[in-house]
Amino acid sequence: MSIRTALPTDAMHMVEIERAVATSPWSLAQFLSSCHSASEDCWVSYEEHTGVVGFAISQRIVDETTLLNVGVAPDQQGLGRGGLLLAAVLDKARADGSQRCLLEVRASNSAARHLYERAGFVQDGVRKAYYPAVAGREDAILMSLDMKLWN
Ligand SMILES: CC(C)(COP(=O)(O)OP(=O)(O)OC[C@H]1O[C@@H](n2cnc3c(N)ncnc32)[C@H](O)[C@@H]1OP(=O)(O)O)[C@@H](O)C(=O)NCCC(=O)NCCS
């Protein structure tokens, strides 16, 4: 189970995973833009025999890092890949001197919320009815990790 920096040539694999797991998937153009962005870091989880099976994308602005997106292929979930991808994001954030890591997550996304809480993220607030949902709208949970506590 390996993590490496994503290349623009990985974007097609990332968008395929995204389409399989996300309610409002990013486009190929968004993944390519992130791969080329100087302020964003993109990581992939891969195996020699299966290729790219997960990704994480973060953005650094001054001393804060925001987790923009993370996804693991459905048949590869629950094996620790999400945890490793999140660890790569947090290691880079710490190396860059980020003071806080931020993210937002759908209220119903128990797996992702569990992953973030396990890493030490705490809930900061709620954006009511922020996301479109299959039936109506859904709250966004705002979470953060104080990197100072992490060092
Ligand atoms: C969130 C996601 C990236 C996690 O990836 P993963 O490879 O399954 O993560 P891991 O295997 O490292 O760990 C998942 C943890 O969540 C737990 N989990 C899995 N499904 C769960 C569920 N339905 N409810 C609660 N916890 C759950 C696992 O048990 C594990 O915790 P543990 O190690 O303490 O037992 C993956 O589920 C995914 O791609 N989801 C769809 C995209 C998504 O929601 N992205 C986040 C947007 S904010």
Coordinates of all heavy atoms in Angstrom, one line a residue, residues 21 70-72 76-83 104-105 109-112 114-116 118, ligand 1:
V21 N -17.7 7.5 -6.1 CA -17.9 7.6 -4.7 C -18.6 9.0 -4.3 O -19.1 9.1 -3.1 CB -16.6 7.4 -3.8 CG1 -16.0 6.1 -4.0 CG2 -15.6 8.5 -4.2
V70 N -11.1 13.9 -0.9 CA -10.4 12.6 -0.7 C -11.4 11.5 -1.1 O -12.6 11.7 -0.9 CB -10.0 12.5 0.8 CG1 -11.2 12.6 1.8 CG2 -9.3 11.2 1.1
G71 N -10.9 10.5 -1.7 CA -11.8 9.4 -2.1 C -11.0 8.1 -2.3 O -9.8 8.2 -2.7
V72 N -11.6 7.0 -2.0 CA -11.0 5.7 -2.2 C -12.0 4.8 -3.0 O -13.2 4.9 -2.7 CB -10.7 5.0 -0.8 CG1 -10.2 3.6 -1.0 CG2 -9.6 5.8 -0.1
Q76 N -11.9 -0.8 -2.4 CA -10.7 -0.7 -1.7 C -10.9 0.0 -0.4 O -9.9 0.3 0.3 CB -9.7 0.1 -2.5 CG -9.3 -0.6 -3.8 CD -8.4 -1.8 -3.6 OE1 -7.6 -1.8 -2.7 NE2 -8.6 -2.8 -4.4
Q77 N -12.1 0.4 0.0 CA -12.4 1.1 1.2 C -12.3 0.2 2.4 O -12.4 -1.1 2.3 CB -13.8 1.7 1.2 CG -13.8 2.9 0.2 CD -15.2 3.5 0.1 OE1 -16.1 3.2 0.9 NE2 -15.4 4.4 -0.9
G78 N -12.0 0.8 3.6 CA -11.9 0.0 4.8 C -10.6 -0.8 5.0 O -10.5 -1.6 5.9
L79 N -9.6 -0.5 4.2 CA -8.3 -1.2 4.2 C -7.2 -0.2 4.8 O -6.0 -0.6 4.8 CB -7.9 -1.7 2.8 CG -8.9 -2.6 2.2 CD1 -8.4 -2.9 0.7 CD2 -9.0 -3.9 3.0
G80 N -7.6 1.0 5.2 CA -6.6 1.9 5.7 C -6.1 2.9 4.7 O -5.2 3.7 5.1
R81 N -6.6 2.8 3.5 CA -6.0 3.8 2.5 C -6.4 5.2 2.8 O -5.6 6.1 2.6 CB -6.5 3.4 1.1 CG -6.1 2.0 0.6 CD -6.5 1.8 -0.8 NE -6.2 0.4 -1.2 CZ -5.0 -0.1 -1.5 NH1 -4.0 0.7 -1.5 NH2 -4.9 -1.4 -1.8
G82 N -7.6 5.4 3.2 CA -8.1 6.8 3.5 C -7.2 7.4 4.7 O -6.8 8.5 4.6
G83 N -6.9 6.6 5.7 CA -6.1 7.0 6.8 C -4.7 7.4 6.3 O -4.1 8.4 6.7
E104 N -14.6 20.3 5.4 CA -16.0 20.2 5.6 C -16.5 18.9 5.0 O -16.0 18.4 4.1 CB -16.8 21.4 5.1 CG -16.6 21.7 3.6 CD -17.2 23.0 3.2 OE1 -17.0 24.0 3.9 OE2 -17.9 23.0 2.2
V105 N -17.6 18.4 5.7 CA -18.0 17.0 5.3 C -19.6 17.0 5.5 O -20.1 17.6 6.4 CB -17.3 16.0 6.2 CG1 -17.5 16.3 7.7 CG2 -17.7 14.6 5.9
N109 N -22.1 11.6 6.3 CA -20.9 10.8 5.8 C -20.2 10.2 7.1 O -19.1 10.7 7.5 CB -20.0 11.7 5.0 CG -19.0 10.9 4.2 OD1 -18.7 9.7 4.6 ND2 -18.4 11.5 3.2
S110 N -20.8 9.2 7.6 CA -20.2 8.6 8.9 C -18.8 8.1 8.7 O -18.0 8.3 9.6 CB -21.1 7.4 9.3 OG -22.4 7.7 9.3
A111 N -18.5 7.5 7.5 CA -17.1 6.9 7.4 C -16.1 8.0 7.4 O -15.1 7.9 8.0 CB -17.1 6.1 6.1
A112 N -16.4 9.1 6.6 CA -15.4 10.2 6.6 C -15.3 10.9 7.9 O -14.2 11.2 8.4 CB -15.8 11.2 5.5
H114 N -15.8 9.7 10.8 CA -15.0 8.8 11.7 C -13.5 8.9 11.4 O -12.7 9.0 12.3 CB -15.5 7.3 11.5 CG -14.7 6.3 12.3 ND1 -15.1 6.0 13.6 CD2 -13.6 5.6 12.0 CE1 -14.2 5.1 14.1 NE2 -13.3 4.8 13.2
L115 N -13.2 8.9 10.1 CA -11.7 9.0 9.7 C -11.1 10.3 10.3 O -10.0 10.3 10.8 CB -11.7 9.0 8.2 CG -10.3 9.1 7.5 CD1 -9.5 7.8 7.7 CD2 -10.5 9.3 6.0
Y116 N -11.9 11.4 10.1 CA -11.3 12.7 10.6 C -11.2 12.8 12.1 O -10.2 13.3 12.6 CB -12.2 13.8 10.0 CG -12.4 13.8 8.5 CD1 -13.6 14.2 7.9 CD2 -11.3 13.5 7.7 CE1 -13.7 14.2 6.6 CE2 -11.5 13.5 6.3 CZ -12.7 13.8 5.8 OH -12.8 13.8 4.4
R118 N -10.8 10.3 14.1 CA -9.7 9.4 14.5 C -8.4 10.1 14.4 O -7.5 9.9 15.2 CB -9.8 8.2 13.7 CG -9.0 7.0 14.2 CD -9.0 5.8 13.3 NE -8.5 6.2 12.0 CZ -8.5 5.3 10.9 NH1 -9.1 4.2 11.0 NH2 -8.0 5.7 9.8
Ligands
LIG1 C1 -13.9 8.5 3.5 C2 -13.0 7.5 2.8 C3 -12.0 8.3 1.9 C4 -12.3 6.6 3.8 O1 -11.4 5.8 3.1 P1 -11.0 4.3 3.6 O2 -9.9 3.8 2.8 O3 -12.2 3.5 3.7 O4 -10.5 4.7 5.1 P2 -9.8 3.8 6.1 O5 -9.9 2.4 5.7 O6 -8.4 4.4 6.4 O7 -10.6 4.1 7.5 C5 -12.0 4.2 7.4 C6 -12.5 4.3 8.9 O8 -13.8 4.5 8.8 C7 -14.5 3.4 9.4 N1 -15.8 3.3 8.6 C8 -15.9 2.8 7.4 N2 -17.2 2.8 7.1 C9 -17.9 3.4 8.1 C10 -19.2 3.8 8.4 N3 -20.2 3.6 7.5 N4 -19.5 4.4 9.6 C11 -18.5 4.7 10.5 N5 -17.2 4.3 10.3 C12 -16.9 3.7 9.1 C13 -13.6 2.3 9.3 O9 -14.0 1.3 10.2 C14 -12.3 2.9 9.6 O10 -12.2 3.2 10.9 P3 -11.3 2.3 12.0 O11 -10.0 2.1 11.3 O12 -11.3 3.1 13.2 O13 -12.1 1.0 12.0 C15 -13.9 6.6 1.9 O14 -14.9 6.0 2.6 C16 -14.5 7.2 0.7 O15 -13.9 7.3 -0.4 N6 -15.7 7.7 0.8 C17 -16.4 8.4 -0.3 C18 -15.8 9.8 -0.6 C19 -15.9 10.6 0.6 O16 -16.9 10.6 1.3 N7 -14.9 11.5 0.8 C20 -14.9 12.4 1.9 C21 -15.5 13.7 1.5 S1 -15.5 14.9 2.9

